[in-house]
Amino acid sequence: MSTTAFTIPLWADLVAVGVGSLQGAMFASGFRDRKLDLLGVAIIGVATGVGGGLLRDLLLVTRPVALLSNWYLLTTVVAALLGMLLIRLFRRLDPIITFLDALTIGLFGAIGASKALALGLPEVPAVFVGVVSAVGGSILRDMLLNLPIALMHVGSLYAVAAGAGTVVLVVLVDLGVPLTVAAAVCVAVTLVIRLLAVRFGWSLPEQRELGRIPRPRWPRIPLGRRTAEARTAERTETGSIPRYKLDRHD
C-alpha cells in the first residue's frame, strides 16, 4: 500500500535527536575505563542521536535526512558535550529525560514506518523499518563502545514498545484512519509501554531450552523374585483367573 509519510517540524526533530544524543553521552560517561575524549563523546552522541534515521534511510535507499541540513549534526554534538559536562545535573532530571526518550522512540518509529509505507513497502517490512528507526541509535552506540547490544538482553522493554506502536500505526492506516491520528496513537502506545516497563521493571522472559519430557517409570519386579501375590495379580490382569475367585475368603 502507499500513503504519505508522517513528518514533524524541524525543531521537534532536532529536540528528538538531541535527547537521543544526550542519552548516549550520559550512557558512555558511565564507562570511565574507556577514557573517551571529547571527540569520542561527540561520535557517540552523533551515532545515538541520528543513527536510527541513518539506518532507516539506508534500508529505504533514500538520502539520509540527517545529512540534508547542518542542524542535525550540530545539535547532536552540542547535546553530547553538554551531557558529558553536566552529567550530575542531567542525572537529577532522569525522569524527564526518560519521558522524552520514550516520546522520541515513538516519534522515530512513526516516522520510519510511515516513510516505509509511503515508499510502497508491505506492512511487516514497514514495522521492521519503524523499529530500526526507533532503536538503531542505541545499537550503533553499543557497537562503538564494544558492548553487548543492550536491547538483545533482559531489560525494560525498548524495542518491544517501539514495535507495538508501529504495529498499531500500520493497522490503523490499513483501516483507513488518517495518518496523523495513527501516528499520534503509535506515539502514545510506545510511550505508555516504555514508561510502564521502566516503572514496574517489565521485561521479556529470559531464553530457555525446552527440556525433554521425562518418560513415566513403571515399577518392575525382577523375574526371579516375584512373589506369589505378584504372579496372581499378573494372571488376574490377563484374565487367567476369574476375579470373583480372588474375592472369596474360604
Side-chain angles (χ1 to χ4, degrees):
M1 62 173 297
S2 179
T3 183
T4 58
F6 173 68
T7 58
I8 59 177
L10 178 61
W11 66 266
D13 208 4
L14 294 178
V15 169
V17 299
V19 170
S21 181
L22 184 68
Q23 285 273 51
M26 292 173 62
F27 181 83
S29 66
F31 298 90
R32 298 290 184 181
D33 57 320
R34 304 303 168 94
K35 297 182 179 179
L36 296 175
D37 58 12
L38 294 180
L39 177 61
V41 173
I43 292 174
I44 295 298
V46 171
T48 309
V50 300
L54 290 175
L55 291 177
R56 173 201 66 208
D57 294 334
L58 287 175
L59 289 173
L60 298 177
V61 196
T62 60
R63 291 187 301 170
V65 174
L67 302 182
L68 298 180
S69 170
N70 294 323
W71 291 108
Y72 287 96
L73 297 180
L74 289 175
T75 300
T76 53
V77 170
V78 171
L81 295 179
L82 288 177
M84 181 192 69
L85 297 174
L86 304 177
I87 182 66
R88 294 184 179 179
L89 172 62
F90 289 115
R91 290 293 184 194
R92 297 175 183 176
L93 302 176
D94 190 62
I96 298 177
I97 296 176
T98 300
F99 174 84
L100 292 176
D101 182 59
L103 182 64
T104 295
I105 65 174
L107 287 172
F108 285 167
I111 293 172
S114 64
K115 190 171 184 178
L117 291 175
L119 292 175
L121 267 66
E123 289 81 358
V124 174
V127 170
F128 173 74
V129 172
V131 174
V132 170
S133 177
V135 305
S138 66
I139 295 176
L140 293 181
R141 176 202 66 196
D142 294 340
M143 292 176 63
L144 288 173
L145 290 172
N146 196 26
L147 296 172
I149 298 176
L151 62 85
M152 296 176 60
H153 299 269
V154 176
S156 56
L157 306 180
Y158 195 75
V160 172
T166 52
V167 167
V168 170
L169 181 143
V170 170
V171 171
L172 291 178
V173 170
D174 277 346
L175 295 176
V177 176
L179 179 61
T180 304
V181 176
V185 176
C186 166
V187 174
V189 170
T190 304
L191 179 68
V192 170
I193 293 178
R194 173 61 179 163
L195 292 181
L196 289 178
V198 172
R199 174 63 179 83
F200 297 105
W202 293 349
S203 64
L204 292 179
E206 184 179 351
Q207 63 88 18
R208 280 177 172 77
E209 180 183 359
L210 181 62
R212 293 183 300 177
I213 301 177
R215 295 180 178 179
R217 296 183 178 180
W218 303 103
R220 296 183 178 180
I221 302 175
L223 293 176
R225 298 181 181 178
R226 292 188 300 170
T227 62
E229 292 82 359
R231 290 194 296 271
T232 302
E234 185 180 36
R235 291 197 301 272
T236 303
E237 294 298 330
T238 57
S240 301
I241 301 177
R243 182 172 295 276
Y244 76 88
K245 289 188 177 182
L246 296 176
D247 297 333
R248 296 176 58 188
H249 298 281
D250 51 2

